[in-house]
């Protein structure tokens, strides 16, 4: 009898964490490595947020909190949804968990039965299918293409929905493609969802504040109020407030679903870290002034790296509207030979040889369900990004 649960045989480790780990190891061994694998802002958490955490410690806010979160944070979340998204949620319709990842996991744990299907557009964030599988569900992939800048069409969504579909996962701006949907593009999808009342919508709005140019942000329940009752709107402080290590994510939805997620969390981690929750209150209620400043920095880096990639032999990169990722196609390099003498047969070969030859760590597109592509996180210093761009160009130029 196997000791490890069968459920674990259904999943694989996170490819993005694996790349960061490999880059760290090579660095420790003395190699000159530029890591473009990690999905976290290189900036620090703003001081007003750090201070709120220190104050919370000094006030003795160091005990267990209610499972779904401290009341001031749940109220701040409800106020955020009203202020930024025009959505009316009561504090009792919100839940705080240990990162956005935990929110998503709890939602699946609380709702999925064996055989339930979850529609996941490709390319997807690595954890979506794995979480669905771990919770006993079945991911059903709905493909996008580089020609439509990795945005899902209404037809592809319609085709993926079956009587067994429980959830549709929506993520805009997207990890890994950076694609962000306009209001009209989103409306085309919500029109499909309105016609399928058994399908719930899980919208992962984690990159809401990282949107470039003049694009305005919209979330599904805002664009289509008819979906309000069956939408779980997920967000968090990790990306917008550079708080990845604090581990606070949150969601709002129907009271019935939130109660079920509270039940899961209550038998698992209980309330999220009390100190981090007080920091998140300040993040949501305090000054938002640094968000547009940081957005400008990211936008400049996006333009820099997209320009450099599109001047690399064999690469093609659409200009993404948001997040801090680009997702170039490396189809034009497949079949060529790397300086090591190895023939590139896949995007895994491309990223492995790039790391070997030039010390640039990126993540293969096959980890996100669509390739041959690779993902670059440009949440790194402009200097490092520029150097990485030069090395990628040199590598692509060296392929024969
Ligand atoms: C699309 C997406 N959703 C959710 C998360 C999880 O964020 P957190 O750090 O809050 O768990 C990430 C983090 O990489 C992400 O990229």
């Amino acid at each position: 009898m196997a000791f490890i649960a069968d459920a674990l045989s259904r999943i694989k480790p996170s490819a993005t964490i694996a790349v960061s780990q490999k880059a760290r190891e090579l660095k420790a061994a003395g190699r000159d490595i530029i890591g473009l694998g990690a999905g976290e802002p290189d900036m620090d958490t703003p001081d007003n947020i750090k201070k709120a955490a220190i104050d919370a410690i000094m006030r003795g806010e160091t005990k267990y909190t209610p499972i779904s979160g401290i009341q001031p944070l749940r109220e701040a979340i409800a106020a955020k949804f009203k202020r930024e998204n025009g959505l009316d949620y009561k504090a009792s319709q919100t839940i705080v968990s240990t990162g956005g990842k935990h929110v998503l996991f709890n939602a699946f744990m609380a709702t999925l039965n064996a055989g339930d299907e979850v529609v996941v557009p490709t390319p997807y964030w690595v954890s979506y299918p794995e979480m669905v599988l771990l919770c006993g569900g079945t991911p059903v992939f709905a493909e996008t293409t580089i020609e439509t800048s990795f945005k899902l069409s209404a037809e592809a969504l319609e085709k993926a929905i079956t009587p067994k579909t429980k959830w549709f996962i929506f993520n805009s701006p997207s990890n890994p493609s950076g694609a962000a949907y306009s209001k009209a593009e989103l409306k085309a999808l919500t029109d499909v969802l309105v016609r399928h009342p058994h399908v719930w919508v899980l919208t992962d709005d984690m990159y809401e504040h990282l949107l470039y140019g003049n694009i305005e942000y919209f979330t599904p329940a805002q664009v289509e109020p008819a979906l309000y009752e069956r939408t779980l709107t997920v967000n968090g402080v990790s990306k917008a407030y550079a708080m990845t290590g604090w581990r606070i994510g949150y969601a709002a939805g129907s009271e019935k679903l939130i109660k079920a997620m509270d039940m899961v969390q209550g038998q698992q981690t209980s309330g999220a870290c009390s100190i981090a929750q007080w920091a998140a209150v300040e993040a949501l209620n305090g000054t938002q002034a640094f968000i547009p400043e940081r957005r400008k920095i990211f936008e400049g880096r996006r333009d820099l790296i997209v320009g450099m990639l599109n001047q690399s032999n064999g690469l093609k990169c659409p200009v993404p509207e948001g997040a801090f990722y680009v997702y170039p196609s490396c189809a034009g390099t497949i079949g060529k030979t790397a300086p090591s003498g190895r023939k590139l047969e896949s995007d895994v070969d491309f990223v492995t040889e790039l790391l070997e030859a030039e010390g640039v760590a990126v993540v293969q597109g096959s980890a996100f369900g669509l390739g041959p592509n690779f993902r670059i996180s440009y949440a790194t210093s402009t200097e490092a990004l520029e150097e990485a761009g030069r090395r990628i160009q040199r590598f692509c130029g060296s392929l024969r």
Side-chain angles (χ1 to χ4, degrees):
M1 192 174 59
F3 183 65
I4 302 298
D6 292 347
L8 263 82
S9 68
R10 297 197 290 264
I11 65 163
K12 51 185 183 307
S14 162
T16 46
I17 293 176
V19 167
S20 305
Q21 181 62 25
K22 172 98 192 180
R24 259 197 298 272
E25 281 167 19
L26 288 173
K27 226 180 222 168
R31 286 276 312 268
D32 170 21
I33 301 293
I34 305 178
L36 303 178
E40 62 180 348
D42 52 315
M43 299 104 172
D44 200 2
T45 305
D47 281 348
N48 63 311
I49 298 173
K50 288 183 181 172
K51 182 168 181 307
I54 294 165
D55 290 348
I57 294 174
M58 298 318 289
R59 278 201 314 278
E61 305 280 5
T62 53
K63 304 286 200 274
Y64 289 133
T65 76
I67 297 165
S68 286
I70 55 173
Q71 191 63 17
L73 182 52
R74 296 178 83 188
E75 280 166 14
I77 291 164
K80 175 260 177 276
F81 281 127
K82 181 71 186 161
R83 181 177 73 237
E84 297 185 340
N85 310 108
L87 291 173
D88 284 302
Y89 288 114
K90 295 187 286 228
S92 58
Q93 288 177 274
T94 68
I95 186 164
V96 179
S97 301
T98 305
K101 211 170 202 174
H102 189 209
V103 175
L104 297 167
F105 193 89
N106 286 348
F108 293 135
M109 191 74 198
T111 56
L112 292 181
N113 292 312
D116 287 346
E117 294 177 356
V118 178
V119 175
V120 183
T122 61
Y124 47 72
W125 180 44
V126 287
S127 295
Y128 295 146
E130 308 304 314
M131 287 187 189
V132 169
L133 287 165
L134 205 49
C135 293
T138 306
V140 172
F141 300 111
E143 287 197 4
T144 70
T145 63
I146 195 167
E147 286 73 32
T148 56
S149 300
F150 307 111
K151 290 182 206 174
L152 187 65
S153 68
E155 297 72 40
L157 173 58
E158 183 83 59
K159 227 172 87 192
I161 293 173
T162 77
K164 291 183 180 167
T165 307
K166 196 157 232 175
W167 288 103
F168 164 59
I169 300 183
F170 181 69
N171 174 222
S172 170
S174 150
N175 178 3
S177 71
Y181 292 65
S182 68
K183 188 179 185 185
E185 287 163 343
L186 178 51
K187 183 73 168 59
L189 299 182
T190 59
D191 284 351
V192 173
L193 295 160
V194 167
R195 290 200 297 276
H196 297 278
H198 67 292
V199 178
W200 282 57
V201 184
L202 195 160
T203 179
D204 178 346
D205 299 354
M206 199 57 80
Y207 294 94
E208 168 180 11
H209 289 297
L210 298 169
L211 196 59
Y212 312 121
N214 296 320
I215 302 171
E216 210 182 326
Y217 187 76
F218 290 96
T219 189
Q222 178 186 21
V223 165
E224 182 47 82
L227 294 176
Y228 175 87
E229 276 301 320
R230 52 184 168 107
T231 297
L232 184 69
T233 306
V234 179
N235 212 316
V237 294
S238 295
K239 316 285 174 171
Y241 302 94
M243 292 177 69
T244 46
W246 299 75
R247 310 308 302 129
I248 295 290
Y250 58 84
S254 83
E255 219 145 317
K256 193 166 120 193
L257 173 59
I258 297 296
K259 273 208 181 98
M261 290 164 67
D262 175 279
M263 174 96 94
V264 172
Q265 188 157 298
Q267 295 297 4
Q268 181 202 43
T269 52
S270 303
C273 165
S274 60
I275 299 149
Q277 287 191 59
W278 282 102
V281 171
E282 174 62 20
L284 295 181
N285 289 347
T287 176
Q288 308 290 305
F290 58 86
I291 292 181
E293 288 163 18
R294 291 182 173 189
R295 186 187 296 141
K296 266 261 100 26
I297 296 171
F298 280 126
E299 188 168 1
R301 290 178 185 169
R302 175 200 63 174
D303 293 343
L304 170 76
I305 194 67
V306 170
M308 293 186 89
L309 289 169
N310 280 326
Q311 284 162 17
S312 306
N313 285 346
L315 302 186
K316 199 167 106 187
C317 186
V319 183
E321 296 90 349
F324 36 61
Y325 306 106
V326 291
Y327 200 64
S329 161
C330 56
T333 68
I334 303 300
K336 294 189 174 174
T337 304
S340 67
R342 181 170 169 191
K343 193 168 161 191
L344 304 183
E345 286 175 356
S346 65
D347 51 24
V348 176
D349 290 348
F350 180 90
V351 308
T352 309
E353 291 299 317
L354 176 63
L355 185 57
E356 273 308 315
E358 294 287 351
V360 176
V362 298
V363 187
Q364 67 277 12
S366 41
F368 307 99
L370 192 134
N373 286 67
F374 61 97
R375 187 193 78 171
I376 285 181
S377 163
Y378 55 86
T380 190
S381 77
T382 307
E383 296 70 40
L385 202 61
E386 220 164 357
E387 173 59 17
R390 275 193 292 270
R391 293 186 191 186
I392 292 170
Q393 288 182 341
R394 195 162 58 207
F395 175 69
C396 290
S398 73
L399 299 174
R400 292 290 168 255

